[in-house]
């Protein structure tokens, strides 16, 4: 099950998981046609695909989406939480409560709701599994104008670690991937405007932004048997961007 599977890192993860031999349920929000494109790529890779719709912040919708995915594909052995909103550059002084709550509902409540359902099913089946949460380097390295986003992602890191402790005895791993700048629709301006992108990329030690496929490869690894002993970890994938602290003064 991949949330946000109709776009960006979620789509790339769904396709990479299929190429690695997984059947994939694509949880999408509003764009059924985009989800269908991901589903086609999954079936083109020779695996089965299911499309399920939900707002990840809606408890009943998440439960119904899991019911539909299990009915279509069978028990879910891996959950990738990629659904999320981006920061909007709003300082706290100017931030409406509604903006704060929408971010927390999507980026944190969503991970709670899908993960809770996933582990309840895993416990019932006694077969373990893996959860991979797409966090961000901004969970730790905060940015002005992103208090809602940074708080949500920091809480996802904490939720990941708490669940890893709780779930390790059940054979479930719970890990975070923390990307830096990745070229997805979330960074639409950088994708469309080469000058703007190059200006940002000049700040990244690797000299370029990352691709959703590079993040997806890490997701596939964390979902694989080779990663069974990695639990509660946050794996940063940012071209060394987050190491650029306290360098120049
Ligand atoms: N792109 C980056 O540079 C970057 C960096 C760090 C972390 N991330 C994280 O990676 C994840 C994926 O982002 P992306 O870059 O692929 O962006 P994206 O905009 O392409 O994908 C985000 C997805 O979340 C879905 N979504 C939003 N609200 C939802 C809701 N209420 N219910 C269900 N789905 C919802 C959207 O439909 C979309 O498919 C996000 O959690 C994001 O915070 C991205």
């Amino acid at each position: 099950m991949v949330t946000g599977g109709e776009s960006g890192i979620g789509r790339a993860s769904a396709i990479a998981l299929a190429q690695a031999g997984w059947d994939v349920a694509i949880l999408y929000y509003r764009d059924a046609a985009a989800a269908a494109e991901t589903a086609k790529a999954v079936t083109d890779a020779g695996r089965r695909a299911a499309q399920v719709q939900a707002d990840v912040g809606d408890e009943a919708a998440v439960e119904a989406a899991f019911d539909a995915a299990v009915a279509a594909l069978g028990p879910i052995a891996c959950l990738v939480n990629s659904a999320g909103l981006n920061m909007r550059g709003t300082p706290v002084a100017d931030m409406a409560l509604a903006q704060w709550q929408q971010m927390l509902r999507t980026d944190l409540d969503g991970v709670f709701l899908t993960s809770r359902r996933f582990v309840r099913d895993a416990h019932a089946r006694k077969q373990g599994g893996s959860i991979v949460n797409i966090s961000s380097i901004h969970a730790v390295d905060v940015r002005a104008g992103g208090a809602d986003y940074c708080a949500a992602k920091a809480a996802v890191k904490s939720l990941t670690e708490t669940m890893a402790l709780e779930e390790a005895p059940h054979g479930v791993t719970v890990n975070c991937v923390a990307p830096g700048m990745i070229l997805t629709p979330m960074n639409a301006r950088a994708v469309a405007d080469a000058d703007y992108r190059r200006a940002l990329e000049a700040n990244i030690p690797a000299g370029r932004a990352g691709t959703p496929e590079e993040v997806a490869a890490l997701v596939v690894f964390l979902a694989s048997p080779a990663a069974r002993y990695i639990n509660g970890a946050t794996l940063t994938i940012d071209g060394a961007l987050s190491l650029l602290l306290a360098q120049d003064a």
Side-chain angles (χ1 to χ4, degrees):
M1 167 81 88
V2 180
T3 77
E6 72 270 48
S7 183
I9 292 168
R11 168 178 284 173
S13 297
I15 296 169
L17 284 163
Q19 289 166 345
W22 294 81
D23 296 332
V24 186
I26 298 140
L27 187 150
Y28 71 98
Y29 186 25
R30 291 191 166 127
D31 193 342
E37 276 182 45
T38 308
K40 181 173 184 314
V42 168
T43 54
D44 285 350
R47 304 309 309 184
R48 294 184 302 152
Q51 278 173 242
V52 294
Q53 193 280 332
D55 171 351
V56 291
D58 179 329
E59 182 174 23
V62 167
E63 291 295 323
F66 269 74
D67 289 346
V70 171
L73 298 179
I76 299 169
C78 171
L79 167 66
V80 180
N81 280 308
S82 189
L85 301 171
N86 200 4
M87 65 177 77
R88 290 202 233 159
T90 315
V92 170
D94 300 328
M95 193 179 292
L97 178 61
Q99 178 180 329
W100 171 266
Q101 289 178 331
Q102 187 193 20
M103 178 67 77
L104 273 285
R105 184 177 190 276
T106 306
D107 285 36
L108 178 59
D109 295 2
V111 178
F112 165 77
L113 289 171
T114 57
S115 300
R116 186 185 64 178
R117 169 61 188 260
F118 177 86
V119 297
R120 284 177 174 171
D121 288 359
H123 296 177
R125 291 195 336 274
K126 299 189 190 315
Q127 281 184 350
S130 53
I131 300 175
V132 183
N133 295 322
I134 310 299
S135 168
S136 166
I137 56 170
H138 300 304
V140 173
D141 300 326
V142 298
R143 277 179 81 181
D148 50 353
Y149 183 85
C150 299
K153 293 300 192 184
V156 166
K157 179 171 160 50
S158 174
L159 174 64
T160 299
E161 292 169 4
T162 309
M163 287 192 69
L165 268 182
E166 294 174 355
E167 293 302 323
H170 297 282
V172 176
T173 62
V174 191
N175 292 294
C176 268
V177 170
M181 180 185 175
I182 309 298
L183 294 174
T184 72
M186 192 170 276
N187 279 317
R189 184 174 167 204
V191 172
D193 178 343
D195 289 340
Y196 176 72
R197 182 174 71 242
R198 275 193 286 273
L200 295 182
E201 287 179 331
N203 298 315
I204 301 172
R208 64 170 180 87
T211 67
E213 290 74 22
E214 287 174 311
V215 180
L218 190 48
V219 169
V220 170
F221 170 67
L222 287 171
S224 76
R228 280 309 79 202
Y229 206 57
I230 301 175
N231 210 347
T234 294
L235 301 188
T236 300
I237 175 163
D238 70 346
L241 173 61
S242 59
L243 298 176
L244 281 181
L245 294 172
Q247 298 294 306
D248 299 321

